[in-house]
Amino acid sequence: MAQRVQAAPPKASDRFGSTDRRDAWWLAPALTALGLSVLGGYSFWAALQSAHYEFGPYLSPLYSPKIVAPWWPLSPALLILIPPVMFRATCYYYRKAYYRAFFLDPPACAVGEAHRGKYTGEMKFPFVLQNLHRFAFYLAFLWLFFLWHDVWQALWFDGRFGIGVGTLVILASTGTLTLYTFSCHSFRHLIGGKLDCFSCSAAARTQHGLWSKATALNEHHMGFAWISFFAVTLADVYVRLLSLGVLHDVRLL
């Protein structure tokens, strides 16, 4: 007589959150969720205000480039931030960060995930839009020209050259954004990812040299991602407080 084969009960390792790890694996996704919620929440709030984003030669990076669109009834920042938000939202590092922090898929390495057996990669909507990252990089690169123009503008007070605390704050925001942009995986691939031979010609050797420098930056991409996000937020806070009269800018030169 044939025996009935019963389905094996689910293993403990298949359950959400199951793990043999003994370290505080939950701390990283929890801190990531907190950081993204605070910085992202403030940026969204600031983008809705449509006021107090400019003081003297200082312009908040959340409102750069400064545009006036009569056909757009809402805050201009909601238009201005589309390219930078696209770049960050599709960033390889941020994808890992918010998949773990908010989707818990998986929450950490070697930890049972919430949707085990249902992984489809990034082939279905809306995650298929992550493939737009390389195009978002081009827009983010273009935005750097506007931001460096803001740094230049922050050096002039009533037509005279000078440096204030706000100048350094704007410089820190743009400088870290530049490092974040050029440490991107898409930039690294763009300048050397298709080379088959690094030493076949002078052009190839030069391209390999640039690729090596981009690789060195890429190793710190996660750090640049967080530092630049914090620096952008700080720049908006500083300009906003100046505009509200809460702070007074200190001239250093």
Side-chain angles (χ1 to χ4, degrees):
M1 179 181 294
Q3 295 181 344
R4 177 181 296 179
V5 178
Q6 295 182 347
K11 296 183 297 182
S13 59
D14 290 337
R15 295 196 301 267
F16 170 64
S18 60
T19 182
D20 291 329
R21 293 177 58 170
R22 295 293 180 264
D23 62 321
W25 59 264
W26 50 267
L27 185 59
L31 291 176
T32 298
L34 177 63
L36 290 177
S37 297
V38 172
L39 296 177
Y42 172 83
S43 298
F44 181 68
W45 172 85
L48 292 175
Q49 301 310 301
S50 190
H52 301 297
Y53 57 83
E54 188 175 18
F55 180 83
Y58 305 144
L59 177 65
S60 165
L62 298 181
Y63 285 80
S64 179
K66 186 178 178 181
I67 63 173
V68 178
W71 49 270
W72 180 254
L74 304 177
S75 169
L78 297 178
L79 284 177
I80 294 167
L81 289 178
I82 291 176
V85 168
M86 283 179 56
F87 183 56
R88 283 191 185 265
T90 59
C91 167
Y92 293 120
Y93 163 69
Y94 276 119
R95 278 144 73 172
K96 184 196 81 169
Y98 65 73
Y99 285 174
R100 291 186 174 188
F102 296 116
F103 302 154
L104 303 177
D105 197 15
C109 291
V111 178
E113 55 191 290
H115 306 289
R116 191 175 183 86
K118 298 180 181 179
Y119 180 72
T120 59
E122 296 175 335
M123 301 175 62
K124 293 184 178 181
F125 185 84
F127 299 108
V128 70
L129 297 178
Q130 303 285 28
N131 294 309
L132 295 175
H133 182 61
R134 70 189 69 178
F135 304 105
F137 165 77
Y138 301 139
L139 293 175
F141 173 74
L142 175 64
W143 244 240
L144 290 177
F145 288 92
F146 298 113
L147 294 171
W148 279 107
H149 178 262
D150 295 338
V151 174
W152 174 254
Q153 291 294 103
L155 290 168
W156 299 94
F157 300 82
D158 298 322
R160 295 184 179 182
F161 178 83
I163 297 176
V165 172
T167 307
L168 300 182
V169 171
I170 299 296
L171 175 62
S173 172
T174 302
T176 54
L177 279 174
T178 302
L179 290 172
Y180 170 57
T181 303
F182 285 107
S183 65
C184 173
H185 300 73
S186 293
F187 177 70
R188 179 171 173 262
H189 177 75
L190 180 67
I191 62 174
K194 296 182 179 180
L195 280 179
D196 294 324
C197 178
F198 292 149
S199 58
C200 293
S201 66
R205 287 192 293 272
T206 300
Q207 196 170 352
H208 177 252
L210 294 174
W211 177 85
S212 299
K213 291 180 174 59
T215 299
L217 282 178
N218 180 253
E219 293 173 357
H220 304 284
H221 191 54
M222 180 183 75
F224 294 144
W226 281 105
I227 293 171
S228 62
F229 204 171
F230 177 79
V232 168
T233 304
L234 176 63
D236 182 86
V237 169
Y238 186 78
V239 173
R240 191 169 299 278
L241 293 179
L242 289 178
S243 178
L244 290 169
V246 177
L247 293 180
H248 298 282
D249 190 49
V250 177
R251 291 285 297 278
L252 304 176
L253 181 64

